[in-house]
Amino acid sequence: MAGPGVSLKTTGFILLLLFLLSTVFPFYWMFVASVREEGSIISNPGDLFPSEITFRNYVDCLKSGPFGRYIVNSVWVAVWVVLGNVILATMAGYAIARKRFMGKRIVLATVLGTLMIPKQITMIPVYILMSKLRMIDTYSALILPFLVDAFSVFFISQYVNSLPEELEEAARVDGASDYGIFFRVVFPLLKPALGIVAINSFLVNWNSFIYPLILTNSENMRTLPVGLALYSQGEHAVDWGHLMAGSTISALPVFLVFLAFQRQIIAGMIEGYGR
Amino acid sequence: MRGSKASTIVFLSPWILSFLVFSAYPIVYSFFLSLTSFDPLQGHPPSFIGLSNYLNAFRNPAFWTSLKVTLIFVLGTIPVTTVLSFFIAALLTEKIPFRGTFRAGFFVPTVVSMVVIAMIFKQLYSPSGYVNILLRNLGFHEVSWLENPRTALPSIMLMDIWSSVGYYVVIFLAGIQSISKEVFESASLEGAGWFRKHVSITLPLVKPVLLFIIVINGIRSFQVFIEIFVMTRGGPLKSTLTTVYYLYDEAFYRFNMGYASAVAYILFMIILVFSIAQMKYLRMGKID
């Protein structure tokens, strides 16, 4: 018999390993199903180690389905939303942390309050507004509501509060303008926080579903999650190989971003819980 | 001096504008809408009908079904998710090899789109899917998980637990790691076992984190939608008709936007009451 410490460690390790297998398996399954011939998925569905691998499903998916267009839409929207948050939300967060103005407390409370508003309460008015502005099915509808996220504003203001003010004061003494101070002095100091804001707004936007669903109605304007969800429902015959290829295409950028920025993503998510 | 007034306004205005147009105005406008009858396809402006939408909702069996389904979802998933994520986090605080890898691995489902996850599970749950292959190999009957009114909701709940545990593991971990090591050491010296140690020492110490997780998970679970949209569309026989799916259906399929706004407001109030009740409890927890 091993000592209690050792056996605890071994049982713990085995339990964790089992949990890990259960988390990884569905994604592995998705990938395997995406690289198999359609016929082999039906004739031998349980085969977890296919001997023949084909990328036919990906080619078909990108060629027959409009997945190429979905990728372009998702990337284009994500670029603008990330830029908007990194610049516009950062400006607001900085002002809240550093400037003195009337109603500052109210502004901060409003930012926090905005984080708690459920989407369902705002989506109908936003839809009506967008259709009045004739923006349904345009990039504006997919970008404008998300350009300045309250979480980014809050996160930046907290981060700025933790920075010393000396550099900004020195720049002010040297005669720099408020804008010069913000872009030349503060921006470089904010690099780690900007990284978290950028990654977080990318992930949230890349995976966002209900707004893009209601704000678009043509196939050409769908983002990846919306395209994928509707692809499986009626418009195209259900073909698991294609669907799993489409799913892999949607998930791949997230996997890559996660592998590269795991630390920042977890830090950002802990700060921004409840999203 | 902290700079000019003008620059303060310039810095703040993008957020203020975005807040007014996409948060403040919608909240007020959707309350107004909830008191009207409005179908945007008809071309008429909203017509005021008082509280009729609210009364109609309370008289509508489909609305009650949706509340019941949502409540089952919330009450069924939260305890399992909380207990599971607490014990995984507790295991991860031990000196176990590859802790970082485990933590990252558990976290992956929380960054992947719910649409992708629902798509994978729709395949796994399908009659020819892997779950049924396993059952067949073990000598059991196949089950049409998502087509059977008795199994559809539990299947989706299981997937939800699977996909969100990693997120709460990470939050619990942050909480547990802020507890001083000496507390654990003295507990071990007094001969407390692993399970006992975590249940009677760790758990009370991370009570604020625990309650926070319950609130956050509650708010999220009351809004369950994507899973339903992708997997069952509220069926079979309304067995997975959650309130948000019902509201989406009324607003964007039937274009009853006034009625749907009333349903949205009722849900909003339920979430608010739930959160305030939890927060009160949370504050009490800190005092004693």
PDB file of all heavy atoms in Angstrom, chain A residues 34-69:
ATOM      1  N   SER A  34     -15.167  15.243 -39.564  1.00  0.00           N
ATOM      2  CA  SER A  34     -15.010  16.198 -40.665  1.00  0.00           C
ATOM      3  C   SER A  34     -14.028  15.719 -41.726  1.00  0.00           C
ATOM      4  O   SER A  34     -14.037  16.215 -42.839  1.00  0.00           O
ATOM      5  CB  SER A  34     -14.561  17.565 -40.124  1.00  0.00           C
ATOM      6  OG  SER A  34     -13.194  17.531 -39.780  1.00  0.00           O
ATOM      7  N   VAL A  35     -13.159  14.739 -41.379  1.00  0.00           N
ATOM      8  CA  VAL A  35     -12.164  14.310 -42.362  1.00  0.00           C
ATOM      9  C   VAL A  35     -12.455  12.910 -42.901  1.00  0.00           C
ATOM     10  O   VAL A  35     -11.594  12.276 -43.500  1.00  0.00           O
ATOM     11  CB  VAL A  35     -10.716  14.355 -41.795  1.00  0.00           C
ATOM     12  CG1 VAL A  35     -10.298  15.788 -41.529  1.00  0.00           C
ATOM     13  CG2 VAL A  35     -10.593  13.509 -40.543  1.00  0.00           C
ATOM     14  N   ARG A  36     -13.698  12.429 -42.662  1.00  0.00           N
ATOM     15  CA  ARG A  36     -14.037  11.108 -43.181  1.00  0.00           C
ATOM     16  C   ARG A  36     -14.966  11.237 -44.371  1.00  0.00           C
ATOM     17  O   ARG A  36     -15.686  12.212 -44.501  1.00  0.00           O
ATOM     18  CB  ARG A  36     -14.710  10.279 -42.081  1.00  0.00           C
ATOM     19  CG  ARG A  36     -13.773  10.011 -40.935  1.00  0.00           C
ATOM     20  CD  ARG A  36     -14.495   9.362 -39.807  1.00  0.00           C
ATOM     21  NE  ARG A  36     -15.195   8.166 -40.277  1.00  0.00           N
ATOM     22  CZ  ARG A  36     -15.914   7.394 -39.478  1.00  0.00           C
ATOM     23  NH1 ARG A  36     -16.032   7.700 -38.214  1.00  0.00           N
ATOM     24  NH2 ARG A  36     -16.510   6.349 -39.946  1.00  0.00           N
ATOM     25  N   GLU A  37     -14.939  10.195 -45.220  1.00  0.00           N
ATOM     26  CA  GLU A  37     -15.879  10.163 -46.336  1.00  0.00           C
ATOM     27  C   GLU A  37     -17.288  10.030 -45.782  1.00  0.00           C
ATOM     28  O   GLU A  37     -17.503   9.319 -44.801  1.00  0.00           O
ATOM     29  CB  GLU A  37     -15.588   8.953 -47.244  1.00  0.00           C
ATOM     30  CG  GLU A  37     -14.292   9.050 -48.017  1.00  0.00           C
ATOM     31  CD  GLU A  37     -14.350  10.033 -49.179  1.00  0.00           C
ATOM     32  OE1 GLU A  37     -15.438  10.611 -49.432  1.00  0.00           O
ATOM     33  OE2 GLU A  37     -13.305  10.241 -49.821  1.00  0.00           O
ATOM     34  N   GLU A  38     -18.242  10.698 -46.407  1.00  0.00           N
ATOM     35  CA  GLU A  38     -19.623  10.634 -45.942  1.00  0.00           C
ATOM     36  C   GLU A  38     -20.077   9.181 -45.775  1.00  0.00           C
ATOM     37  O   GLU A  38     -20.676   8.826 -44.787  1.00  0.00           O
ATOM     38  CB  GLU A  38     -20.534  11.384 -46.918  1.00  0.00           C
ATOM     39  CG  GLU A  38     -22.002  11.420 -46.526  1.00  0.00           C
ATOM     40  CD  GLU A  38     -22.275  12.116 -45.188  1.00  0.00           C
ATOM     41  OE1 GLU A  38     -21.383  12.815 -44.701  1.00  0.00           O
ATOM     42  OE2 GLU A  38     -23.368  11.919 -44.640  1.00  0.00           O
ATOM     43  N   GLY A  39     -19.757   8.337 -46.769  1.00  0.00           N
ATOM     44  CA  GLY A  39     -20.176   6.941 -46.713  1.00  0.00           C
ATOM     45  C   GLY A  39     -19.671   6.233 -45.475  1.00  0.00           C
ATOM     46  O   GLY A  39     -20.400   5.490 -44.831  1.00  0.00           O
ATOM     47  N   SER A  40     -18.437   6.528 -45.084  1.00  0.00           N
ATOM     48  CA  SER A  40     -17.847   5.795 -43.964  1.00  0.00           C
ATOM     49  C   SER A  40     -18.434   6.255 -42.634  1.00  0.00           C
ATOM     50  O   SER A  40     -18.443   5.518 -41.663  1.00  0.00           O
ATOM     51  CB  SER A  40     -16.320   5.938 -43.967  1.00  0.00           C
ATOM     52  OG  SER A  40     -15.927   7.043 -43.207  1.00  0.00           O
ATOM     53  N   ILE A  41     -18.971   7.502 -42.569  1.00  0.00           N
ATOM     54  CA  ILE A  41     -19.611   7.956 -41.335  1.00  0.00           C
ATOM     55  C   ILE A  41     -20.865   7.124 -41.086  1.00  0.00           C
ATOM     56  O   ILE A  41     -21.181   6.765 -39.958  1.00  0.00           O
ATOM     57  CB  ILE A  41     -19.983   9.457 -41.411  1.00  0.00           C
ATOM     58  CG1 ILE A  41     -18.732  10.303 -41.591  1.00  0.00           C
ATOM     59  CG2 ILE A  41     -20.737   9.881 -40.151  1.00  0.00           C
ATOM     60  CD1 ILE A  41     -18.999  11.776 -41.737  1.00  0.00           C
ATOM     61  N   ILE A  42     -21.560   6.766 -42.190  1.00  0.00           N
ATOM     62  CA  ILE A  42     -22.800   6.009 -42.026  1.00  0.00           C
ATOM     63  C   ILE A  42     -22.525   4.512 -41.835  1.00  0.00           C
ATOM     64  O   ILE A  42     -23.105   3.884 -40.959  1.00  0.00           O
ATOM     65  CB  ILE A  42     -23.738   6.253 -43.233  1.00  0.00           C
ATOM     66  CG1 ILE A  42     -24.214   7.715 -43.188  1.00  0.00           C
ATOM     67  CG2 ILE A  42     -24.930   5.309 -43.221  1.00  0.00           C
ATOM     68  CD1 ILE A  42     -24.817   8.218 -44.455  1.00  0.00           C
ATOM     69  N   SER A  43     -21.565   3.968 -42.610  1.00  0.00           N
ATOM     70  CA  SER A  43     -21.343   2.521 -42.533  1.00  0.00           C
ATOM     71  C   SER A  43     -20.586   2.124 -41.264  1.00  0.00           C
ATOM     72  O   SER A  43     -20.818   1.062 -40.702  1.00  0.00           O
ATOM     73  CB  SER A  43     -20.576   2.040 -43.766  1.00  0.00           C
ATOM     74  OG  SER A  43     -19.308   2.660 -43.796  1.00  0.00           O
ATOM     75  N   ASN A  44     -19.707   2.981 -40.801  1.00  0.00           N
ATOM     76  CA  ASN A  44     -18.931   2.632 -39.608  1.00  0.00           C
ATOM     77  C   ASN A  44     -18.782   3.866 -38.714  1.00  0.00           C
ATOM     78  O   ASN A  44     -17.701   4.420 -38.569  1.00  0.00           O
ATOM     79  CB  ASN A  44     -17.556   2.102 -40.036  1.00  0.00           C
ATOM     80  CG  ASN A  44     -16.773   1.574 -38.843  1.00  0.00           C
ATOM     81  OD1 ASN A  44     -17.328   1.403 -37.754  1.00  0.00           O
ATOM     82  ND2 ASN A  44     -15.488   1.360 -39.035  1.00  0.00           N
ATOM     83  N   PRO A  45     -19.904   4.280 -38.112  1.00  0.00           N
ATOM     84  CA  PRO A  45     -19.902   5.590 -37.438  1.00  0.00           C
ATOM     85  C   PRO A  45     -19.001   5.656 -36.213  1.00  0.00           C
ATOM     86  O   PRO A  45     -18.577   6.724 -35.821  1.00  0.00           O
ATOM     87  CB  PRO A  45     -21.368   5.801 -37.069  1.00  0.00           C
ATOM     88  CG  PRO A  45     -21.979   4.450 -37.054  1.00  0.00           C
ATOM     89  CD  PRO A  45     -21.197   3.601 -37.990  1.00  0.00           C
ATOM     90  N   GLY A  46     -18.705   4.525 -35.589  1.00  0.00           N
ATOM     91  CA  GLY A  46     -17.951   4.569 -34.341  1.00  0.00           C
ATOM     92  C   GLY A  46     -16.444   4.573 -34.521  1.00  0.00           C
ATOM     93  O   GLY A  46     -15.706   4.572 -33.548  1.00  0.00           O
ATOM     94  N   ASP A  47     -15.999   4.571 -35.760  1.00  0.00           N
ATOM     95  CA  ASP A  47     -14.564   4.502 -36.016  1.00  0.00           C
ATOM     96  C   ASP A  47     -13.869   5.790 -35.590  1.00  0.00           C
ATOM     97  O   ASP A  47     -14.038   6.831 -36.210  1.00  0.00           O
ATOM     98  CB  ASP A  47     -14.347   4.249 -37.519  1.00  0.00           C
ATOM     99  CG  ASP A  47     -12.882   4.056 -37.824  1.00  0.00           C
ATOM    100  OD1 ASP A  47     -12.074   4.032 -36.883  1.00  0.00           O
ATOM    101  OD2 ASP A  47     -12.550   3.918 -39.018  1.00  0.00           O
ATOM    102  N   LEU A  48     -13.083   5.703 -34.509  1.00  0.00           N
ATOM    103  CA  LEU A  48     -12.450   6.916 -33.993  1.00  0.00           C
ATOM    104  C   LEU A  48     -11.079   7.180 -34.605  1.00  0.00           C
ATOM    105  O   LEU A  48     -10.507   8.239 -34.433  1.00  0.00           O
ATOM    106  CB  LEU A  48     -12.306   6.828 -32.472  1.00  0.00           C
ATOM    107  CG  LEU A  48     -13.606   6.860 -31.672  1.00  0.00           C
ATOM    108  CD1 LEU A  48     -13.328   6.711 -30.188  1.00  0.00           C
ATOM    109  CD2 LEU A  48     -14.370   8.142 -31.934  1.00  0.00           C
ATOM    110  N   PHE A  49     -10.539   6.168 -35.307  1.00  0.00           N
ATOM    111  CA  PHE A  49      -9.232   6.357 -35.931  1.00  0.00           C
ATOM    112  C   PHE A  49      -9.311   5.986 -37.404  1.00  0.00           C
ATOM    113  O   PHE A  49      -8.863   4.905 -37.797  1.00  0.00           O
ATOM    114  CB  PHE A  49      -8.168   5.516 -35.212  1.00  0.00           C
ATOM    115  CG  PHE A  49      -8.152   5.753 -33.732  1.00  0.00           C
ATOM    116  CD1 PHE A  49      -8.813   4.888 -32.861  1.00  0.00           C
ATOM    117  CD2 PHE A  49      -7.485   6.851 -33.207  1.00  0.00           C
ATOM    118  CE1 PHE A  49      -8.815   5.128 -31.484  1.00  0.00           C
ATOM    119  CE2 PHE A  49      -7.482   7.095 -31.845  1.00  0.00           C
ATOM    120  CZ  PHE A  49      -8.140   6.227 -30.979  1.00  0.00           C
ATOM    121  N   PRO A  50      -9.923   6.839 -38.207  1.00  0.00           N
ATOM    122  CA  PRO A  50     -10.139   6.480 -39.609  1.00  0.00           C
ATOM    123  C   PRO A  50      -8.802   6.274 -40.319  1.00  0.00           C
ATOM    124  O   PRO A  50      -7.853   7.026 -40.089  1.00  0.00           O
ATOM    125  CB  PRO A  50     -10.881   7.680 -40.179  1.00  0.00           C
ATOM    126  CG  PRO A  50     -10.566   8.806 -39.257  1.00  0.00           C
ATOM    127  CD  PRO A  50     -10.334   8.198 -37.913  1.00  0.00           C
ATOM    128  N   SER A  51      -8.739   5.207 -41.137  1.00  0.00           N
ATOM    129  CA  SER A  51      -7.483   4.941 -41.831  1.00  0.00           C
ATOM    130  C   SER A  51      -7.339   5.866 -43.046  1.00  0.00           C
ATOM    131  O   SER A  51      -6.237   6.205 -43.439  1.00  0.00           O
ATOM    132  CB  SER A  51      -7.435   3.478 -42.269  1.00  0.00           C
ATOM    133  OG  SER A  51      -8.666   3.119 -42.857  1.00  0.00           O
ATOM    134  N   GLU A  52      -8.481   6.246 -43.616  1.00  0.00           N
ATOM    135  CA  GLU A  52      -8.388   7.158 -44.761  1.00  0.00           C
ATOM    136  C   GLU A  52      -8.891   8.532 -44.378  1.00  0.00           C
ATOM    137  O   GLU A  52      -9.989   8.678 -43.852  1.00  0.00           O
ATOM    138  CB  GLU A  52      -9.238   6.624 -45.918  1.00  0.00           C
ATOM    139  CG  GLU A  52      -8.505   5.595 -46.742  1.00  0.00           C
ATOM    140  CD  GLU A  52      -9.395   5.045 -47.847  1.00  0.00           C
ATOM    141  OE1 GLU A  52      -9.967   5.870 -48.587  1.00  0.00           O
ATOM    142  OE2 GLU A  52      -9.518   3.828 -47.921  1.00  0.00           O
ATOM    143  N   ILE A  53      -8.065   9.516 -44.632  1.00  0.00           N
ATOM    144  CA  ILE A  53      -8.445  10.885 -44.284  1.00  0.00           C
ATOM    145  C   ILE A  53      -8.664  11.679 -45.568  1.00  0.00           C
ATOM    146  O   ILE A  53      -7.890  11.552 -46.524  1.00  0.00           O
ATOM    147  CB  ILE A  53      -7.343  11.537 -43.425  1.00  0.00           C
ATOM    148  CG1 ILE A  53      -7.458  10.998 -41.987  1.00  0.00           C
ATOM    149  CG2 ILE A  53      -7.463  13.053 -43.416  1.00  0.00           C
ATOM    150  CD1 ILE A  53      -6.406  11.532 -41.052  1.00  0.00           C
ATOM    151  N   THR A  54      -9.754  12.454 -45.603  1.00  0.00           N
ATOM    152  CA  THR A  54     -10.017  13.248 -46.793  1.00  0.00           C
ATOM    153  C   THR A  54     -10.441  14.652 -46.380  1.00  0.00           C
ATOM    154  O   THR A  54     -11.065  14.828 -45.331  1.00  0.00           O
ATOM    155  CB  THR A  54     -11.122  12.612 -47.641  1.00  0.00           C
ATOM    156  OG1 THR A  54     -11.565  13.590 -48.590  1.00  0.00           O
ATOM    157  CG2 THR A  54     -12.323  12.197 -46.812  1.00  0.00           C
ATOM    158  N   PHE A  55     -10.090  15.628 -47.193  1.00  0.00           N
ATOM    159  CA  PHE A  55     -10.524  16.994 -46.897  1.00  0.00           C
ATOM    160  C   PHE A  55     -11.658  17.426 -47.815  1.00  0.00           C
ATOM    161  O   PHE A  55     -11.969  18.594 -47.945  1.00  0.00           O
ATOM    162  CB  PHE A  55      -9.339  17.960 -46.931  1.00  0.00           C
ATOM    163  CG  PHE A  55      -8.416  17.757 -45.769  1.00  0.00           C
ATOM    164  CD1 PHE A  55      -7.264  16.985 -45.894  1.00  0.00           C
ATOM    165  CD2 PHE A  55      -8.719  18.299 -44.521  1.00  0.00           C
ATOM    166  CE1 PHE A  55      -6.436  16.760 -44.808  1.00  0.00           C
ATOM    167  CE2 PHE A  55      -7.897  18.078 -43.432  1.00  0.00           C
ATOM    168  CZ  PHE A  55      -6.752  17.308 -43.570  1.00  0.00           C
ATOM    169  N   ARG A  56     -12.277  16.402 -48.445  1.00  0.00           N
ATOM    170  CA  ARG A  56     -13.387  16.624 -49.358  1.00  0.00           C
ATOM    171  C   ARG A  56     -14.496  17.484 -48.710  1.00  0.00           C
ATOM    172  O   ARG A  56     -15.018  18.400 -49.310  1.00  0.00           O
ATOM    173  CB  ARG A  56     -13.892  15.220 -49.697  1.00  0.00           C
ATOM    174  CG  ARG A  56     -14.961  14.953 -50.563  1.00  0.00           C
ATOM    175  CD  ARG A  56     -14.799  14.533 -51.992  1.00  0.00           C
ATOM    176  NE  ARG A  56     -15.366  15.603 -52.783  1.00  0.00           N
ATOM    177  CZ  ARG A  56     -14.718  16.214 -53.733  1.00  0.00           C
ATOM    178  NH1 ARG A  56     -13.502  15.863 -54.023  1.00  0.00           N
ATOM    179  NH2 ARG A  56     -15.283  17.167 -54.400  1.00  0.00           N
ATOM    180  N   ASN A  57     -14.849  17.167 -47.436  1.00  0.00           N
ATOM    181  CA  ASN A  57     -15.917  17.894 -46.763  1.00  0.00           C
ATOM    182  C   ASN A  57     -15.624  19.396 -46.682  1.00  0.00           C
ATOM    183  O   ASN A  57     -16.518  20.214 -46.819  1.00  0.00           O
ATOM    184  CB  ASN A  57     -16.127  17.360 -45.345  1.00  0.00           C
ATOM    185  CG  ASN A  57     -16.739  15.980 -45.352  1.00  0.00           C
ATOM    186  OD1 ASN A  57     -17.610  15.691 -46.162  1.00  0.00           O
ATOM    187  ND2 ASN A  57     -16.265  15.121 -44.459  1.00  0.00           N
ATOM    188  N   TYR A  58     -14.355  19.718 -46.427  1.00  0.00           N
ATOM    189  CA  TYR A  58     -13.981  21.127 -46.323  1.00  0.00           C
ATOM    190  C   TYR A  58     -14.128  21.812 -47.667  1.00  0.00           C
ATOM    191  O   TYR A  58     -14.662  22.919 -47.763  1.00  0.00           O
ATOM    192  CB  TYR A  58     -12.540  21.256 -45.826  1.00  0.00           C
ATOM    193  CG  TYR A  58     -12.404  20.907 -44.360  1.00  0.00           C
ATOM    194  CD1 TYR A  58     -12.217  19.592 -43.956  1.00  0.00           C
ATOM    195  CD2 TYR A  58     -12.496  21.889 -43.395  1.00  0.00           C
ATOM    196  CE1 TYR A  58     -12.124  19.270 -42.630  1.00  0.00           C
ATOM    197  CE2 TYR A  58     -12.396  21.573 -42.052  1.00  0.00           C
ATOM    198  CZ  TYR A  58     -12.203  20.256 -41.677  1.00  0.00           C
ATOM    199  OH  TYR A  58     -12.117  19.939 -40.355  1.00  0.00           O
ATOM    200  N   VAL A  59     -13.627  21.128 -48.717  1.00  0.00           N
ATOM    201  CA  VAL A  59     -13.715  21.697 -50.061  1.00  0.00           C
ATOM    202  C   VAL A  59     -15.185  21.921 -50.425  1.00  0.00           C
ATOM    203  O   VAL A  59     -15.580  23.009 -50.843  1.00  0.00           O
ATOM    204  CB  VAL A  59     -13.017  20.776 -51.091  1.00  0.00           C
ATOM    205  CG1 VAL A  59     -13.162  21.333 -52.490  1.00  0.00           C
ATOM    206  CG2 VAL A  59     -11.554  20.608 -50.719  1.00  0.00           C
ATOM    207  N   ASP A  60     -16.014  20.878 -50.196  1.00  0.00           N
ATOM    208  CA  ASP A  60     -17.437  20.985 -50.528  1.00  0.00           C
ATOM    209  C   ASP A  60     -18.105  22.116 -49.758  1.00  0.00           C
ATOM    210  O   ASP A  60     -18.911  22.871 -50.291  1.00  0.00           O
ATOM    211  CB  ASP A  60     -18.164  19.677 -50.185  1.00  0.00           C
ATOM    212  CG  ASP A  60     -17.811  18.594 -51.187  1.00  0.00           C
ATOM    213  OD1 ASP A  60     -17.141  18.930 -52.177  1.00  0.00           O
ATOM    214  OD2 ASP A  60     -18.191  17.430 -50.960  1.00  0.00           O
ATOM    215  N   CYS A  61     -17.760  22.165 -48.476  1.00  0.00           N
ATOM    216  CA  CYS A  61     -18.361  23.153 -47.590  1.00  0.00           C
ATOM    217  C   CYS A  61     -18.048  24.564 -48.056  1.00  0.00           C
ATOM    218  O   CYS A  61     -18.903  25.427 -48.118  1.00  0.00           O
ATOM    219  CB  CYS A  61     -17.756  22.905 -46.221  1.00  0.00           C
ATOM    220  SG  CYS A  61     -18.751  23.486 -44.920  1.00  0.00           S
ATOM    221  N   LEU A  62     -16.793  24.787 -48.394  1.00  0.00           N
ATOM    222  CA  LEU A  62     -16.384  26.125 -48.823  1.00  0.00           C
ATOM    223  C   LEU A  62     -16.896  26.443 -50.220  1.00  0.00           C
ATOM    224  O   LEU A  62     -17.183  27.589 -50.539  1.00  0.00           O
ATOM    225  CB  LEU A  62     -14.854  26.254 -48.778  1.00  0.00           C
ATOM    226  CG  LEU A  62     -14.253  26.290 -47.378  1.00  0.00           C
ATOM    227  CD1 LEU A  62     -12.736  26.142 -47.441  1.00  0.00           C
ATOM    228  CD2 LEU A  62     -14.608  27.587 -46.667  1.00  0.00           C
ATOM    229  N   LYS A  63     -17.017  25.389 -51.057  1.00  0.00           N
ATOM    230  CA  LYS A  63     -17.437  25.634 -52.448  1.00  0.00           C
ATOM    231  C   LYS A  63     -18.954  25.697 -52.574  1.00  0.00           C
ATOM    232  O   LYS A  63     -19.500  26.676 -53.083  1.00  0.00           O
ATOM    233  CB  LYS A  63     -16.885  24.522 -53.361  1.00  0.00           C
ATOM    234  CG  LYS A  63     -15.696  25.009 -54.152  1.00  0.00           C
ATOM    235  CD  LYS A  63     -15.289  24.189 -55.351  1.00  0.00           C
ATOM    236  CE  LYS A  63     -15.672  22.735 -55.366  1.00  0.00           C
ATOM    237  NZ  LYS A  63     -14.736  21.942 -56.185  1.00  0.00           N
ATOM    238  N   SER A  64     -19.645  24.661 -52.096  1.00  0.00           N
ATOM    239  CA  SER A  64     -21.097  24.619 -52.284  1.00  0.00           C
ATOM    240  C   SER A  64     -21.797  25.542 -51.296  1.00  0.00           C
ATOM    241  O   SER A  64     -22.661  26.320 -51.645  1.00  0.00           O
ATOM    242  CB  SER A  64     -21.614  23.195 -52.118  1.00  0.00           C
ATOM    243  OG  SER A  64     -21.535  22.819 -50.766  1.00  0.00           O
ATOM    244  N   GLY A  65     -21.379  25.478 -50.055  1.00  0.00           N
ATOM    245  CA  GLY A  65     -21.977  26.368 -49.067  1.00  0.00           C
ATOM    246  C   GLY A  65     -21.256  27.696 -49.103  1.00  0.00           C
ATOM    247  O   GLY A  65     -20.153  27.802 -49.651  1.00  0.00           O
ATOM    248  N   PRO A  66     -21.870  28.727 -48.545  1.00  0.00           N
ATOM    249  CA  PRO A  66     -21.227  30.040 -48.563  1.00  0.00           C
ATOM    250  C   PRO A  66     -20.295  30.258 -47.373  1.00  0.00           C
ATOM    251  O   PRO A  66     -20.171  31.370 -46.898  1.00  0.00           O
ATOM    252  CB  PRO A  66     -22.423  30.994 -48.521  1.00  0.00           C
ATOM    253  CG  PRO A  66     -23.576  30.185 -48.053  1.00  0.00           C
ATOM    254  CD  PRO A  66     -23.201  28.749 -48.005  1.00  0.00           C
ATOM    255  N   PHE A  67     -19.636  29.194 -46.914  1.00  0.00           N
ATOM    256  CA  PHE A  67     -18.790  29.339 -45.729  1.00  0.00           C
ATOM    257  C   PHE A  67     -17.641  30.323 -45.928  1.00  0.00           C
ATOM    258  O   PHE A  67     -17.224  30.991 -44.990  1.00  0.00           O
ATOM    259  CB  PHE A  67     -18.254  27.983 -45.257  1.00  0.00           C
ATOM    260  CG  PHE A  67     -19.166  27.321 -44.270  1.00  0.00           C
ATOM    261  CD1 PHE A  67     -20.266  26.608 -44.708  1.00  0.00           C
ATOM    262  CD2 PHE A  67     -18.959  27.456 -42.911  1.00  0.00           C
ATOM    263  CE1 PHE A  67     -21.140  26.030 -43.799  1.00  0.00           C
ATOM    264  CE2 PHE A  67     -19.825  26.879 -41.998  1.00  0.00           C
ATOM    265  CZ  PHE A  67     -20.922  26.167 -42.442  1.00  0.00           C
ATOM    266  N   GLY A  68     -17.152  30.406 -47.183  1.00  0.00           N
ATOM    267  CA  GLY A  68     -16.088  31.366 -47.457  1.00  0.00           C
ATOM    268  C   GLY A  68     -16.567  32.768 -47.128  1.00  0.00           C
ATOM    269  O   GLY A  68     -15.881  33.547 -46.471  1.00  0.00           O
ATOM    270  N   ARG A  69     -17.780  33.056 -47.564  1.00  0.00           N
ATOM    271  CA  ARG A  69     -18.357  34.373 -47.318  1.00  0.00           C
ATOM    272  C   ARG A  69     -18.580  34.606 -45.811  1.00  0.00           C
ATOM    273  O   ARG A  69     -18.321  35.699 -45.299  1.00  0.00           O
ATOM    274  CB  ARG A  69     -19.676  34.475 -48.090  1.00  0.00           C
ATOM    275  CG  ARG A  69     -20.469  35.727 -47.877  1.00  0.00           C
ATOM    276  CD  ARG A  69     -19.836  36.927 -48.566  1.00  0.00           C
ATOM    277  NE  ARG A  69     -20.398  38.151 -48.024  1.00  0.00           N
ATOM    278  CZ  ARG A  69     -20.652  39.233 -48.740  1.00  0.00           C
ATOM    279  NH1 ARG A  69     -20.375  39.264 -50.020  1.00  0.00           N
ATOM    280  NH2 ARG A  69     -21.175  40.288 -48.166  1.00  0.00           N
TER     281      ARG A  69
END
